[in-house]
Amino acid sequence: MPKVPVKLVSWDEIVDWTRGLAGEIKGSGWNPQVIVAVARGGYVPARLLADFLDVTNMLSVQSQHWTEAAKAEERAILKYPYKVDLKGEDVLVVDDIVDTGETLRLARDYVRDNWNPGTVKTAALQWISSVAKFKPDYYLIEVRDWTWFQYPWTRLEDLKDFLKRILREDERLKQEFSMELLERVFKEWYGVSPGDFGFYWDLAISDLVKSGFLKEK
Ligand code: ADE
């Protein structure tokens, strides 16, 4: 079993899943007039939903996580709060995944309390039901065993984070090591192979060399 279970998500899956999610929303008989993307993860699903649902009005809010001093708990806040008047229009707030649920709930509450909407509903591709304190109105896939969904829009960012973590935490990588060992340790930790990341693997490695995180010999 990998330490961090990762599901590598393809662009084709994103299109299929978003189409499925649009089907759920249409099937419920509710038609949003405005879609709000929760940045950054909600951008792509929100844009595809707008296409499938024939919605042309889009806005975005960005959430940010911070750890309260002396508390191990992460809290979400809105990075750039602003006000608009939605004049009673029905709003769908979209994110890629509901993990703890903090982000989507915060965005939903903010829109409801500050933007003068009609009905406000929430949607996500994935809902991690075992940990989430918030259930979106619409979701496509219920995830029971916590998994990191490696979406295609954060391929490089996630890969660098995955690598940084094993470089910091795995004893075998504390001294000089071969690329083969790095690849083996990576597979052990995440359950996916470096090769599955295509050209992103070399990009991530060269970025980490540039930033001084890795040294080539
Ligand atoms: N963002 C927050 N939780 C996540 C998860 N489990 N997978 C991908 N992105 C996330």
Side-chain angles (χ1 to χ4, degrees):
M1 276 296 277
K3 223 175 237 184
V4 182
V6 170
K7 157 71 182 154
L8 200 61
V9 179
S10 70
W11 283 109
D12 283 350
E13 283 173 310
I14 292 302
V15 176
D16 286 349
W17 290 347
T18 312
R19 184 163 68 107
L21 184 58
E24 295 285 323
I25 297 163
K26 272 190 210 163
S28 75
W30 182 74
N31 301 112
Q33 292 145 309
V34 178
I35 289 181
V36 175
V38 179
R40 297 171 289 155
Y43 271 122
V44 175
R47 183 63 186 88
L48 292 172
L49 278 179
D51 191 25
F52 289 126
L53 297 174
D54 199 17
V55 172
T56 54
N57 304 315
M58 293 191 74
L59 297 97
S60 179
V61 291
Q62 179 158 11
S63 86
Q64 188 178 29
H65 291 265
W66 58 289
T67 310
E68 269 179 84
K71 275 192 195 171
E73 210 177 310
E74 281 232 324
R75 300 214 61 88
I77 53 166
L78 280 201
K79 200 163 175 188
Y80 307 109
Y82 59 100
K83 299 227 173 189
V84 291
D85 183 3
L86 295 181
K87 304 192 172 85
E89 292 191 306
D90 293 332
V91 182
L92 182 65
V93 183
V94 179
D95 208 347
D96 48 5
I97 188 164
V98 171
D99 188 323
T100 65
E102 277 259 7
T103 305
L104 195 51
R105 176 164 39 202
L106 171 82
R108 193 269 320 262
D109 290 353
Y110 183 80
V111 168
R112 185 193 57 204
D113 299 340
N114 295 279
W115 287 6
N116 186 32
T119 311
V120 182
K121 294 194 179 193
T122 54
L125 300 174
Q126 272 81 35
W127 168 49
I128 309 188
S129 57
S130 51
V131 298
K133 287 177 238 126
F134 175 81
K135 184 180 180 182
D137 297 292
Y138 303 101
Y139 59 90
L140 191 70
I141 296 169
E142 175 179 355
V143 178
R144 293 206 177 79
D145 298 320
W146 189 91
T147 301
W148 184 265
F149 281 75
Q150 205 302 289
Y151 298 111
W153 47 84
T154 46
R155 202 73 97 209
L156 185 57
E157 181 180 328
D158 284 357
L159 194 44
K160 286 190 276 188
D161 287 345
F162 292 161
L163 282 164
K164 284 182 192 169
R165 177 151 180 212
I166 57 176
L167 289 168
R168 270 195 312 263
E169 296 184 24
D170 195 289
E171 289 304 325
R172 292 168 290 180
L173 306 177
K174 294 264 154 90
Q175 310 94 30
E176 226 177 275
F177 56 82
S178 68
M179 259 320 201
E180 274 143 348
L181 180 64
L182 179 65
E183 290 171 12
R184 193 162 67 237
V185 172
F186 184 91
K187 173 89 207 258
E188 270 176 36
W189 271 68
Y190 302 109
V192 285
S193 296
D196 300 335
F197 287 83
F199 67 83
Y200 282 95
W201 179 263
D202 285 346
L203 257 185
I205 298 287
S206 85
D207 277 7
L208 292 184
V209 169
K210 268 181 223 142
S211 63
F213 226 95
L214 260 179
K215 274 193 186 60
E216 262 176 319
K217 270 193 88 175

